[in-house]
Structure formats: structure tokens, C-alpha cells
Amino acid sequence: MRGAVGFEETRRARGRRGGGRSAGLQEPSLYIIKAVFILDNDGHRLLAKYYDDTFPSMKEQMAFEKNVFNKTSRTDSEIAFFGGMTIVYKSSIDLFLYVVGSSYENELMLMSVLTCLFESLNHVLRKNVEKRWLLENMDGAFLVLDEIVDGGVILESDPQQVIQKVNFRADDSGLTEHSVTQVLQSAKEQIKWSLLK
Amino acid sequence: MIKKFDKKDEESGSGSNPFRHLEKSAVLQEARIFNETPINPRRCLHILTKILYLLNQGEHFGTTEATEAFFAMTRLFQSNDQTLRRMCYLTIKEMATISEDVIIVTSSLTKDMTGKEDVYRGPAIRALCRITDGTMLQAIERYMKQAIVDKVSSVSSSALVSSLHMMKISYDVVKRWVNEAQEAASSDNIMVQYHALGVLYHLKKSDRLAVSKMLNKFTKSGLKSQFAYCMLIRIASRLLKENEEGHESPVFDFIESCLRNKHEMVIYEAASAIIHLPNCTARELAPAVSVLQLFCSSPKPALRYAAVRTLNK
């Protein structure tokens, strides 16, 4: 937490991209989201979308992701601040989901994007928001994100709407042989009973 | 969408990864099947996903190979598989800057954007606007205006957000759509309201009086969207600071009234706005401060942190 002394000076000196809210210098805008990315539990990128040129090169993006990961992977606090940016995040089994905005953005707005992303993926991946399922259904994940944020603007915040539009569900028939056998078994039973009627 | 697990991978414990050992040239070679008929949607989808994944991982595509892949992808429009079509739209957007002659998909996209399948219309609009230049925009102007006021909210939202992006390319053309945006603002849909407000503000922001009038209108008519409210609060704060108005104005009253909104997001935005207004009296600050103090004991960590940060200012 910053002390009161010298705060005004440092705030002005840092200018527009400085940490903390610079009152009124920012233009009200729909362009709120800087980036959304999903990392595995080694901090490697699985999916990432950057919406402005804060990190223009892939190298800078990946360095940023690494920094964010280092800062957040061991804590549970959902929100972090650095580099003049607010990062809200959520971990799920072996994945980390991040939404990034400027530090002067409304944190609850950023959270609404994160929540929508997670809930939508939760449905698409049949409640298995983990690396294996994500990789197997990467197209679904790409489409989900595409429906939530467009060019940095929040397009949709209601996961139900996203799910409806994407209309994609992971197919779980290949996942375990055991469960397939079970399904076939119960189908056989049902046919047997219906024939007996 | 069946993706088979490799038994070997599963046993090795590292989990299967369909993108392991992915090689760009191999994938591009595979993409040649896009030219075959009939199109196998699942296989094509899988290959397209691999291409997008590679791009996402930072793989560099040269112009020739990107253009070839792009052209091959256009064949996939022949398939009616929904997911495949949507992935095509995504591919168009992702490859728009690295492939040449992307405008060849313009007629397909225009067809989809005005077609019967509502599911395609929004995404088609967004893809189209990613490849459109100023001249083309005039050609599709009629469709854009129709789309903005479309009853299907996803179509309207897509058109509005795309209009916002298009302002950077062709502000003068988009400016002509202000009436449509105005009409869209009276939508019941919370996202359409938000997007319409955003477009209107960006169109009027250089004219302080116009912004003031717009603010006045919306604060009276009462929007539903919590996102729109947050945007209005920001517009209002900016107006207050620019006009150096005293806090006796209805603009300040509007912000203050948002402290009693039913959405936390709006309450927080309003409290934050008040705290950041210069020359606030203690009396004016008090309700904002007490709301933030309440948030400091919220069960939601993000809200707690945000409130503490703001109070600390």
C-alpha cells in the first residue's frame, strides 16, 4: 500500500500508464480488455489473445505471461496488480485462466469476463476444465473466447448466451473404455426389456 | 467432435496432447485435403484447429504459405457444418494480416451476414469488418445499418462492436450510422445497450454539448445494463472534470444515485468515480467511502482488493 507522502508527485510523473487510477485522464471507452490467456501449471501458454499493442511481440507476450504466472501461481487471491495493469485470474485443476486490463479499469468488469470464460468452458468441457480436455477441444475454446471478447471489447458476459452461440460440447465417448462398455451394456438391457414387453 | 486418446500417452502419465510435436509444414500439407470433395468436416476442423494453435503459439507463417492455407480454407465454406464455418471465420480474422488477397471471402461473408442462419450472422459481420477497408465499408454500409438495428441481439452487438473498430479506418462512414446506434440503444439486451452507448459516445466525444445531452437522455430514460451504467458513470465523471462544474449539478447527482444501483459493479464504479473527483467535500465523499468500506469485508477477494486499493487513494 502506498504511503500518502509524495504520492501525488509520483502519480503525475508516471503519467497515463502508471499504476493506480489516474483520475479523469483516461478516455471512457469500450476497449477494456488487454489480454486473455490460459496457461498450464508449468506456465506454458495454451491459448492467448492480446487486444492491444502493450506487448507487441510474441517474445514480450510470453515474458509477460511468465511474470504473471510467477506472481500468481502460488497464491489464491484472484487478483494481482503490476506493470500498470490489473490481472484477475482463476485456477482450475491444472490450468490458470487470466484476464488483463489497465489498472484503471473496473475490477468487477474484468472479473465478469473471467467468470464468463470459466463458466462457458465448464459447460463445453463437461465440467472438466483441465489441460487434457482443453487441448482435445481447443476449437471449442477458441470459439468461446471469440464470443466473449472482440478486439478488446466485452462482447458477451452471460455464459448461457456464449454456450448457445458456440453450440459445442466435448465428446466424452472416447474418454474411458469402461464407461463406453457401461453405455453399451445398459443399451442392450433396454432393448432386451422393450422386446419382452 | 471425437478426439481419440492415444493409449500410449495415457499410460505414460503425461496426458495426451494432440498438439505435441506439431510441425507447421506437416499441418500445411494436411490442409490440402480442404480441396477435396466431399469435405470431411471433422478432419478439416481438426487441421484448422492445429493451424490456429500454431499461430497462437507464435509459429511464423510466411506470406506464401499463409495465403495458400487461407485459400484452401475458403473451400470449407461449401460445408454446412456449424463449428467448421465458425472456425473459418476465426481463421479469417487470425490470418487477415498475414495472408494476401483476404478480400476474396467478402462475398461469402456478406452472404452469411445477411442469410437465414442467425448463428452465422454475428460472427460473419465481425470477420468481414476485420478485412474491410474504407471503400469496401461503403459497399456494405446498407447491411451494417440493418444489422445494427436487427432484433437478434448478437447481430446487433456484432455490428455495433464492429462499427466501433471501423471508426479507426473510416470514421466518416460510421458517423452516418448514428441514428441506427441511437435506435439500438433502446434495446432491452444489456450488451446491445452497452455497445450502442459506446458507439454513440465515440461518435460524439469531441462535442461536449452533444455528450452532455446524450448523458442527460440516458440518465433519464434509465438503462438496464450494468455495463452501460459503468460507461455512463465514466462519461459523467469526465464531463464533470472537463466542465469544472460544481458538484451541485445533476451529473454529480446521477453518479451519486448509482451508489444505490442493484449491481455491485455499478456501485463500485460510482464510489470509485466520486473518490477520484477533485475538490470533493467530506459530505460528498462520505457515502462513497462507506460503500467501499462495506466492500472491504466482502467475501469476494477481487472486490475486497479493489475497494481497499481505491480507498487507499
Side-chain angles (χ1 to χ4, degrees):
Chain A
M1 302 298 169
R2 289 179 223 98
V5 179
F7 180 74
E8 274 299 318
E9 275 101 6
T10 42
R11 188 169 67 110
R12 251 173 278 152
R14 266 191 239 120
R16 290 192 62 185
R17 275 192 56 192
R21 287 170 192 250
S22 312
L25 287 176
Q26 274 68 40
E27 176 78 54
S29 167
L30 249 46
Y31 292 100
I32 292 195
I33 310 297
K34 280 185 178 287
V36 177
F37 47 88
I38 302 178
L39 308 179
D40 68 12
N41 53 11
D42 294 318
H44 296 135
R45 172 194 283 201
L46 297 172
L47 187 158
K49 202 83 182 91
Y50 285 76
Y51 302 106
D52 68 11
D53 51 14
T54 310
F55 302 101
S57 73
M58 188 62 65
K59 198 160 160 241
E60 287 167 277
Q61 288 175 8
M62 292 197 162
F64 175 63
E65 285 156 34
K66 188 159 177 271
N67 281 332
V68 169
F69 182 77
N70 289 334
K71 227 199 168 208
T72 60
S73 58
R74 270 165 295 242
T75 62
D76 221 10
S77 44
E78 294 188 357
I79 189 165
F81 311 98
F82 71 88
M85 285 173 284
T86 301
I87 298 135
V88 294
Y89 62 97
K90 185 175 174 58
S91 70
S92 170
I93 307 173
D94 54 1
L95 292 178
F96 289 85
L97 290 71
Y98 300 90
V99 174
V100 182
S102 277
S103 56
Y104 51 81
E105 297 305 346
N106 183 320
E107 291 86 341
L108 295 186
M109 263 196 179
L110 299 177
M111 282 302 303
S112 74
V113 171
L114 183 67
T115 307
C116 185
L117 178 65
F118 178 77
E119 293 298 326
S120 305
L121 285 177
N122 205 24
H123 176 91
V124 163
L125 302 178
R126 297 180 183 271
K127 302 203 190 297
N128 297 304
V129 186
E130 54 177 310
K131 180 174 175 179
R132 215 165 69 155
W133 281 72
L134 184 73
L135 287 172
E136 288 291 314
N137 298 281
M138 192 53 89
D139 37 3
F142 282 140
L143 291 176
V144 158
L145 184 54
D146 186 57
E147 280 300 332
I148 300 175
V149 185
D150 183 284
V153 176
I154 304 173
L155 188 62
E156 181 58 71
S157 62
D158 178 359
Q160 286 309 312
Q161 290 293 319
V162 175
I163 289 161
Q164 239 178 51
K165 285 175 212 162
V166 170
N167 196 22
F168 181 107
R169 209 113 194 260
D171 191 71
D172 62 1
S173 62
L175 211 42
T176 54
E177 281 186 282
H178 184 62
S179 59
V180 169
T181 322
Q182 275 182 328
V183 167
L184 285 175
Q185 191 63 29
S186 73
K188 275 194 210 145
E189 291 292 319
Q190 289 200 28
I191 294 169
K192 202 168 70 180
W193 283 110
S194 66
L195 286 175
L196 285 174
K197 280 206 186 111
Chain B
M1 263 287 352
I2 300 172
K3 299 275 171 66
K4 298 232 175 347
F5 280 110
D6 195 313
K7 259 261 161 178
K8 242 189 341 193
D9 282 321
E10 220 172 327
E11 280 158 2
S12 72
S14 54
S16 84
N17 182 344
F19 304 113
R20 200 204 304 239
H21 310 309
L22 210 54
E23 228 237 290
K24 180 185 65 171
S25 48
V27 175
L28 289 175
Q29 188 80 283
E30 279 185 276
R32 304 240 167 116
I33 72 151
F34 294 170
N35 295 307
E36 288 171 18
T37 45
I39 291 169
N40 180 328
R42 286 187 176 175
R43 268 195 73 199
C44 293
L45 194 49
H46 191 48
I47 297 166
L48 209 51
T49 308
K50 288 197 276 196
I51 293 175
L52 287 182
Y53 184 82
L54 279 170
L55 279 169
N56 209 240
Q57 290 289 317
E59 181 77 43
H60 171 75
F61 281 62
T63 313
T64 317
E65 55 190 356
T67 308
E68 268 176 23
F70 188 89
F71 271 61
M73 178 272 302
T74 61
R75 313 289 247 114
L76 300 177
F77 270 78
Q78 291 172 47
S79 164
N80 257 320
D81 183 284
Q82 232 182 63
T83 309
L84 185 59
R85 179 68 59 91
R86 301 226 32 211
M87 285 296 279
C88 287
Y89 297 146
L90 255 189
T91 312
I92 291 168
K93 291 197 281 193
E94 294 303 311
M95 298 189 88
T97 49
I98 59 173
S99 165
E100 285 175 329
D101 303 325
V102 291
I103 58 169
I104 60 160
V105 289
T106 304
S107 58
S108 299
L109 290 175
T110 315
K111 191 161 150 248
D112 281 354
M113 127 183 207
T114 53
K116 290 207 173 65
E117 304 263 14
D118 283 341
V119 171
Y120 291 160
R121 293 172 63 206
I125 292 170
R126 294 189 282 125
L128 183 57
C129 290
R130 195 68 70 85
I131 61 168
T132 296
D133 63 21
T135 332
M136 264 171 67
L137 191 61
Q138 297 203 55
I140 59 164
E141 184 168 2
R142 179 165 51 110
Y143 301 127
M144 286 300 290
K145 287 166 93 167
Q146 283 170 358
I148 290 172
V149 296
D150 200 287
K151 291 287 167 274
V152 178
S153 55
S154 65
V155 173
S156 180
S157 274
S158 297
L160 285 163
V161 174
S162 298
S163 305
L164 196 65
H165 300 326
M166 297 315 293
M167 279 188 221
K168 296 178 208 146
I169 295 181
S170 202
Y171 180 84
D172 292 328
V173 174
V174 181
K175 204 168 166 65
R176 304 201 282 252
W177 309 345
V178 65
N179 292 330
E180 282 75 16
Q182 191 70 54
E183 196 183 313
S186 54
S187 160
D188 277 335
N189 182 285
I190 63 168
M191 296 315 292
V192 175
Q193 275 183 14
Y194 174 58
H195 300 143
L197 177 62
V199 169
L200 287 170
Y201 176 72
H202 278 275
L203 285 176
K204 298 179 190 227
K205 66 184 179 188
S206 51
D207 180 350
R208 209 180 288 173
L209 188 58
V211 173
S212 192
K213 274 190 179 159
M214 183 187 80
L215 188 65
N216 203 24
K217 178 173 185 289
F218 283 125
T219 55
K220 287 211 171 73
S221 68
L223 297 165
K224 273 166 50 188
S225 165
Q226 65 269 42
F227 294 94
Y229 265 108
C230 289
M231 180 70 174
L232 274 179
I233 290 168
R234 294 212 168 196
I235 295 170
S237 316
R238 193 177 169 87
L239 258 182
L240 277 180
K241 283 166 202 148
E242 281 180 344
N243 292 343
E244 282 156 39
E245 278 173 39
H247 299 162
E248 295 302 305
S249 80
V251 178
F252 180 84
D253 290 342
F254 162 68
I255 301 177
E256 207 267 336
S257 73
C258 289
L259 290 173
R260 295 178 284 283
N261 191 282
K262 65 179 179 180
H263 295 283
E264 271 178 341
M265 187 192 289
V266 178
I267 300 172
Y268 174 67
E269 184 74 47
S272 193
I274 292 171
I275 301 270
H276 286 88
L277 285 174
N279 312 317
C280 256
T281 66
R283 240 192 76 217
E284 286 159 348
L285 279 175
V289 170
S290 57
V291 144
L292 287 172
Q293 283 172 337
L294 256 169
F295 282 159
C296 286
S297 43
S298 160
K300 300 180 201 168
L303 191 48
R304 277 203 310 271
Y305 272 75
V308 168
R309 254 187 95 219
T310 312
L311 272 176
N312 209 51
K313 226 241 88 193

